[in-house]
Amino acid sequence: MAKIIDGKAISKQIRSEIAAETAEFIKNTGRTPGLAVIIVGTDPASQVYVRNKRKACEEVGFYSEGYELPESTTQAELEALVDKLNADEKINGILVQLPLPKHLDETAILLRINPQKDVDAFHPYNVGKIMIGNYKFLPCTPAGVMSLLERSGIEISGKECVVVGRSNIVGKPQAMLLLQANGTVTICHSRTKDLAEVCRRADILIAAIGKADFFGAEYIKPGAVVIDVGMNRRADGKLTGDVNFEEVEPIASYITPVPGGVGPMTITTLMKNTLISAKESVNA
Ligand code: NDP
């Protein structure tokens, strides 16, 4: 029977630490960390994420601004808003909720955000800093996974870590962070041969492919730590991860549930990054 890594509880603990640090920061500087969240269009899942992000801001004592723009927003209008927020001293973090509607150039928008306010850490400047291990912001989901491992007392150094998924927002930065923590890292993707065999080498398996209940018992080495980043909707509307929890839980040593595992940590890291940015802005 695996120990369940309770992302909700760990996240709550970290958020209360951030709230205490924020109160101290406000007392010392008279400034309140500020996050601006922009959403374009009416995707219901994105709207839920945006609402949760603003709620988290309230919880830790941040100032927040929300921009809900219509689907018809043009590239020039969105860029003008990003420029305005780049110049706004009240705002330390700018988050553009992805995906953007098809007619908008996502890459150009992400490049437009001042890297000092890029609290999602998607700007190539920040991605480059992560590569060389000299970073200010960490990408929210992979950093959340690292906090879960750390706070659960799981040693990474020298361990075989297998990351399945190579997206720019999860798989690649996740692999980099595990490498920096001295893990021996393998990255798998849709062309990997004998995926189950490679996964069975893992002391720490990170599943991030977006396929419901994909990883069954045959992918797991007994005693492995299994982190499920996946968030998928079953036909009945239920949220489920990439890991078949019922099959894997009896074999693993630690496992994250979905929901209540990695999910809550992503927004918590966003709060952490916004506070870091606010602190840097006073030192600048
Ligand atoms: P992407 O779709 O961008 O990437 C998926 C990756 O998985 C790709 O690299 C793809 O390989 C690989 N892949 C797909 N199918 C297979 C397969 N059968 N075998 C091996 N590899 C496969 O997804 P994201 O990285 O954005 O997200 C992954 C999951 O994590 C999703 O479920 C998403 O909802 C969730 N997520 C959760 C977050 C959270 O806060 N908990 C935050 C962000 C994402 P290839 O490159 O070869 O195509």
Side-chain angles (χ1 to χ4, degrees), residues 5 145-161 177-178 180-184 202-206 223-225 227 253-254:
I5 300 179
V145 168
M146 298 305 283
S147 298
L148 286 179
L149 293 171
E150 189 188 312
R151 299 236 173 184
S152 304
I154 295 161
E155 181 67 58
I156 298 168
S157 183
K159 295 285 169 62
E160 287 280 348
C161 305
L177 297 186
L178 289 163
Q180 277 162 16
N182 299 318
T184 300
D203 300 312
I204 300 174
L205 177 70
I206 315 280
V225 174
I227 305 290
S253 59
Y254 287 85

Coordinates of all heavy atoms in Angstrom, one line a residue, residues 5 145-161 177-178 180-184 202-206 223-225 227 253-254:
I5 N 0.5 11.0 -1.3 CA 1.0 12.4 -1.1 C -0.2 13.4 -1.3 O -0.8 13.5 -2.3 CB 2.1 12.6 -2.2 CG1 3.2 11.6 -2.1 CG2 2.6 14.1 -2.1 CD1 4.3 11.8 -3.1
V145 N 5.7 19.8 -8.4 CA 6.1 18.4 -8.2 C 7.3 18.3 -7.3 O 7.4 17.4 -6.4 CB 6.3 17.7 -9.6 CG1 7.0 16.3 -9.4 CG2 5.0 17.6 -10.4
M146 N 8.3 19.2 -7.6 CA 9.5 19.1 -6.7 C 9.2 19.4 -5.3 O 9.7 18.8 -4.4 CB 10.5 20.1 -7.3 CG 11.0 19.9 -8.7 SD 11.7 18.2 -9.0 CE 13.3 18.4 -8.3
S147 N 8.3 20.3 -5.0 CA 7.9 20.6 -3.6 C 7.2 19.4 -3.0 O 7.4 19.1 -1.8 CB 6.9 21.8 -3.6 OG 7.5 23.0 -4.1
L148 N 6.4 18.7 -3.8 CA 5.7 17.5 -3.2 C 6.7 16.5 -2.8 O 6.6 15.9 -1.7 CB 4.8 16.9 -4.3 CG 3.4 17.6 -4.6 CD1 2.7 16.8 -5.6 CD2 2.6 17.8 -3.3
L149 N 7.7 16.3 -3.7 CA 8.8 15.3 -3.4 C 9.6 15.7 -2.1 O 9.8 14.9 -1.2 CB 9.7 15.1 -4.6 CG 9.1 14.5 -5.8 CD1 10.1 14.6 -7.0 CD2 8.7 13.0 -5.6
E150 N 9.9 17.0 -2.1 CA 10.8 17.5 -1.0 C 10.0 17.4 0.3 O 10.5 16.9 1.3 CB 11.1 18.9 -1.3 CG 12.1 19.6 -0.5 CD 12.2 21.1 -0.8 OE1 12.3 21.4 -2.0 OE2 12.1 21.9 0.2
R151 N 8.8 17.9 0.3 CA 8.0 17.9 1.5 C 7.6 16.5 2.0 O 7.1 16.3 3.1 CB 6.8 18.8 1.4 CG 7.2 20.2 1.1 CD 6.6 21.2 2.0 NE 7.2 22.5 1.8 CZ 7.0 23.6 2.5 NH1 6.2 23.5 3.5 NH2 7.6 24.7 2.2
S152 N 7.7 15.5 1.1 CA 7.3 14.1 1.5 C 8.6 13.4 1.9 O 8.6 12.2 2.2 CB 6.7 13.4 0.3 OG 5.5 14.1 -0.1
G153 N 9.7 14.1 1.9 CA 11.0 13.5 2.3 C 11.6 12.5 1.3 O 12.3 11.6 1.7
I154 N 11.2 12.7 0.1 CA 11.7 11.7 -0.9 C 13.0 12.2 -1.5 O 13.1 13.3 -2.1 CB 10.6 11.5 -2.0 CG1 9.4 10.9 -1.4 CG2 11.2 10.7 -3.2 CD1 8.1 11.0 -2.2
E155 N 14.0 11.4 -1.4 CA 15.4 11.7 -1.9 C 15.4 11.5 -3.4 O 14.9 10.6 -4.0 CB 16.3 10.7 -1.2 CG 17.8 10.8 -1.6 CD 18.4 12.1 -1.1 OE1 18.4 12.3 0.2 OE2 18.9 12.9 -1.9
I156 N 16.0 12.5 -4.1 CA 16.1 12.4 -5.6 C 17.5 12.0 -6.0 O 17.7 11.3 -7.0 CB 15.6 13.8 -6.2 CG1 14.2 14.1 -5.9 CG2 15.8 13.7 -7.7 CD1 13.7 15.5 -6.1
S157 N 18.5 12.5 -5.3 CA 19.9 12.3 -5.7 C 20.2 10.9 -6.0 O 19.9 10.0 -5.1 CB 20.7 12.9 -4.6 OG 22.1 12.8 -5.0
G158 N 20.7 10.6 -7.2 CA 21.1 9.2 -7.5 C 20.0 8.3 -7.9 O 20.2 7.2 -8.3
K159 N 18.8 8.8 -7.9 CA 17.6 8.0 -8.2 C 17.4 7.9 -9.7 O 17.6 8.9 -10.4 CB 16.3 8.5 -7.5 CG 16.4 8.4 -6.0 CD 16.2 6.9 -5.5 CE 16.5 6.7 -4.0 NZ 15.6 7.5 -3.2
E160 N 16.8 6.8 -10.2 CA 16.4 6.7 -11.6 C 15.0 7.4 -11.7 O 14.0 7.0 -11.1 CB 16.2 5.3 -12.0 CG 17.4 4.4 -12.2 CD 18.1 4.7 -13.5 OE1 17.5 5.3 -14.4 OE2 19.2 4.2 -13.6
C161 N 15.0 8.5 -12.5 CA 13.8 9.3 -12.6 C 13.3 9.2 -14.1 O 14.1 9.4 -15.0 CB 14.0 10.8 -12.3 SG 14.7 11.1 -10.7
L177 N 14.6 19.9 -13.8 CA 14.6 20.1 -12.3 C 15.1 18.9 -11.6 O 15.8 18.9 -10.6 CB 13.2 20.6 -11.8 CG 12.7 21.9 -12.3 CD1 11.4 22.3 -11.6 CD2 13.7 23.0 -12.1
L178 N 14.7 17.7 -12.1 CA 15.1 16.5 -11.5 C 16.6 16.3 -11.7 O 17.3 15.8 -10.8 CB 14.3 15.3 -12.1 CG 12.8 15.2 -11.7 CD1 12.1 14.3 -12.6 CD2 12.7 14.7 -10.2
Q180 N 18.8 18.7 -12.0 CA 19.4 19.6 -11.1 C 19.5 19.1 -9.6 O 20.3 19.5 -8.9 CB 18.8 21.0 -11.2 CG 19.4 21.8 -12.3 CD 18.5 23.0 -12.7 OE1 17.6 23.4 -12.0 NE2 18.8 23.5 -13.9
A181 N 18.5 18.3 -9.3 CA 18.4 17.7 -8.0 C 19.2 16.4 -8.0 O 19.1 15.5 -7.1 CB 17.0 17.4 -7.6
N182 N 20.1 16.2 -9.0 CA 21.0 15.0 -9.1 C 20.3 13.7 -9.4 O 20.8 12.6 -9.0 CB 21.9 14.9 -7.9 CG 22.7 16.2 -7.8 OD1 23.3 16.7 -8.8 ND2 22.9 16.7 -6.6
G183 N 19.1 13.7 -9.9 CA 18.5 12.5 -10.4 C 19.1 12.0 -11.7 O 19.8 12.8 -12.4
T184 N 19.0 10.7 -12.0 CA 19.5 10.2 -13.3 C 18.2 10.1 -14.1 O 17.3 9.4 -13.8 CB 20.1 8.8 -13.2 OG1 21.2 8.9 -12.3 CG2 20.5 8.2 -14.5
A202 N 12.1 3.0 -13.2 CA 12.0 4.3 -12.4 C 11.9 4.0 -10.9 O 11.0 3.3 -10.5 CB 10.8 5.1 -12.9
D203 N 12.8 4.8 -10.2 CA 12.5 4.9 -8.7 C 11.4 6.0 -8.5 O 10.7 5.9 -7.6 CB 13.8 5.3 -8.0 CG 14.9 4.3 -8.2 OD1 14.6 3.1 -8.0 OD2 16.0 4.7 -8.5
I204 N 11.5 7.0 -9.4 CA 10.5 8.1 -9.4 C 9.9 8.2 -10.8 O 10.7 8.4 -11.8 CB 11.2 9.4 -9.0 CG1 11.8 9.3 -7.6 CG2 10.1 10.5 -9.0 CD1 12.6 10.5 -7.1
L205 N 8.6 8.0 -11.0 CA 8.0 8.0 -12.3 C 7.1 9.3 -12.3 O 6.2 9.4 -11.4 CB 7.2 6.8 -12.5 CG 6.4 6.7 -13.8 CD1 7.3 6.6 -15.0 CD2 5.4 5.6 -13.9
I206 N 7.3 10.1 -13.3 CA 6.4 11.3 -13.5 C 5.6 11.1 -14.7 O 6.1 11.0 -15.8 CB 7.2 12.6 -13.6 CG1 8.4 12.7 -12.6 CG2 6.3 13.8 -13.6 CD1 8.1 13.1 -11.3
G223 N 7.6 -0.5 -5.2 CA 8.3 0.5 -4.3 C 8.6 1.9 -5.0 O 9.1 2.8 -4.3
A224 N 8.2 2.0 -6.3 CA 8.5 3.3 -6.9 C 7.6 4.4 -6.4 O 6.5 4.2 -5.8 CB 8.2 3.2 -8.4
V225 N 8.1 5.7 -6.5 CA 7.3 6.9 -6.2 C 6.6 7.3 -7.5 O 7.3 7.4 -8.6 CB 8.2 8.0 -5.8 CG1 7.5 9.3 -5.6 CG2 9.0 7.6 -4.5
I227 N 4.2 10.0 -9.5 CA 3.6 11.3 -9.5 C 2.8 11.4 -10.8 O 3.3 11.3 -11.9 CB 4.7 12.4 -9.5 CG1 5.7 12.2 -8.3 CG2 4.1 13.8 -9.5 CD1 5.2 12.5 -7.0
S253 N 5.4 3.0 -3.6 CA 5.7 3.4 -2.2 C 5.0 4.7 -1.8 O 4.5 4.9 -0.7 CB 7.2 3.5 -1.9 OG 7.7 4.5 -2.8
Y254 N 4.9 5.6 -2.8 CA 4.2 6.9 -2.7 C 3.4 7.1 -4.0 O 3.9 6.8 -5.1 CB 5.2 8.1 -2.5 CG 5.9 8.1 -1.2 CD1 7.0 7.4 -1.0 CD2 5.4 9.0 -0.2 CE1 7.7 7.5 0.2 CE2 6.0 9.1 1.0 CZ 7.2 8.3 1.2 OH 7.8 8.4 2.4

